[in-house]
């Protein structure tokens, strides 16, 4: 399976007109940015960089997405540092997303675990997670043209849209 798409946990309220934001760091090939734009379009969400986040102001959102590429089995350091700076909340709904060279259910769980732990320890409820393959030219892979060329592709973007829809459907 190329994507790891965990259905959202049951939500206590309807998100028909929710205010959403995605906090995104996407650098090398903008893989995660492509996924974020697909999710944001469905959710009518704003997208912001971790360095531009005012930790107090994101509390005004009903749903907060945190995403980046995966580097050494975890999200980008800028997201992890932001998570450390966030104020404590009471069951604020959030989701995690990423792109990675290698994916799968157990790989996704491991890749997301550091950020998930930090967010949950601040009182966030992780309602869903998404990961798909992304073009990767890190390290020695650049010598061979990289891996997952063309990813995320149209099908990956469709899965990202379906993921977003699953968070707002009743």
């Amino acid at each position: 399976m190329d994507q790891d798409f965990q259905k959202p946990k049951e939500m206590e309220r309807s998100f028909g007109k929710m205010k959403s934001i995605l906090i995104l760091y996407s650098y090398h090939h903008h893989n995660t940015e492509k996924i974020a734009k697909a999710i944001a379009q469905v959710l009518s969400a704003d997208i912001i960089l971790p360095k531009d986040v005012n930790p107090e102001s994101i509390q005004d959102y009903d749903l907060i997405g945190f995403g980046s590429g995966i580097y050494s089995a975890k999200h980008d350091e800028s997201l992890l540092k932001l998570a450390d700076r966030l104020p404590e909340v009471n069951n604020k709904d959030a989701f995690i997303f990423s792109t990675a060279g290698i994916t799968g259910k157990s790989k996704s769980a491991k890749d997301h675990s550091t950020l998930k732990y930090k967010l949950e320890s601040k009182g966030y409820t992780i309602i869903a997670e998404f990961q798909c393959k992304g073009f990767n030219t890190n390290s020695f892979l650049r010598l061979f043209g990289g891996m997952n060329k063309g990813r995320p592709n149209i099908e990956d973007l469709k899965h990202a849209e379906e993921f977003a829809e699953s968070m707002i459907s009743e």
Side-chain angles (χ1 to χ4, degrees):
M1 178 183 221
D2 290 338
Q3 291 88 14
D4 182 32
F5 177 165
Q6 297 176 14
K7 294 238 184 230
K9 295 177 185 172
E10 289 298 316
M11 293 182 261
E12 294 180 11
R13 62 186 182 282
S14 168
F15 286 118
K17 294 182 182 183
M18 68 180 168
K19 186 175 177 186
S20 304
I21 189 168
L22 304 182
I23 302 170
L24 166 73
Y25 182 82
S26 187
Y27 175 68
H28 293 285
H29 303 287
H30 301 281
N31 298 323
T32 315
E33 180 180 355
K34 294 171 188 171
I35 295 299
K37 286 180 177 179
I39 293 170
Q41 185 173 353
V42 172
L43 298 177
S44 299
D46 299 321
I47 300 176
I48 189 169
L49 297 171
K51 69 179 184 70
D52 296 330
V53 171
N54 172 344
E56 299 297 328
S57 71
I58 65 169
Q59 303 313 308
D60 297 336
Y61 290 87
D62 300 308
L63 180 63
I64 305 166
F66 296 87
S68 78
I70 296 298
Y71 308 94
S72 302
K74 61 185 177 183
H75 283 83
D76 184 76
E77 199 62 34
S78 63
L79 271 181
L80 299 176
K81 287 180 180 178
L82 172 64
D84 289 336
R85 291 190 350 249
L86 292 174
E88 296 216 7
V89 295
N90 187 17
N91 292 322
K92 174 72 73 177
D93 288 328
F95 64 94
I96 297 173
F97 63 101
S98 64
T99 57
I102 300 170
T103 60
K105 192 167 187 148
S106 64
K107 174 77 166 67
S108 173
K110 181 178 186 232
D111 291 347
H112 290 183
S113 65
T114 302
L115 180 59
K116 185 175 183 176
Y117 173 79
K118 287 176 179 279
L119 293 172
E120 288 178 338
S121 71
K122 295 287 183 142
Y124 287 84
T125 300
I126 306 303
I127 63 166
E129 297 180 44
F130 179 89
Q131 184 178 68
C132 74
K133 288 186 178 180
F135 182 45
N136 184 346
T137 57
N138 292 337
S139 186
F140 71 92
L141 292 172
R142 76 174 66 87
L143 302 173
F144 304 101
M147 66 188 293
N148 304 324
K149 192 166 181 81
R151 302 295 292 274
N153 59 25
I154 302 244
E155 187 175 320
D156 297 323
L157 298 177
K158 182 177 181 273
H159 287 291
E161 290 171 356
E162 291 168 352
F163 167 77
E165 288 168 2
S166 76
M167 289 188 285
I168 58 175
S169 62
E170 295 184 87

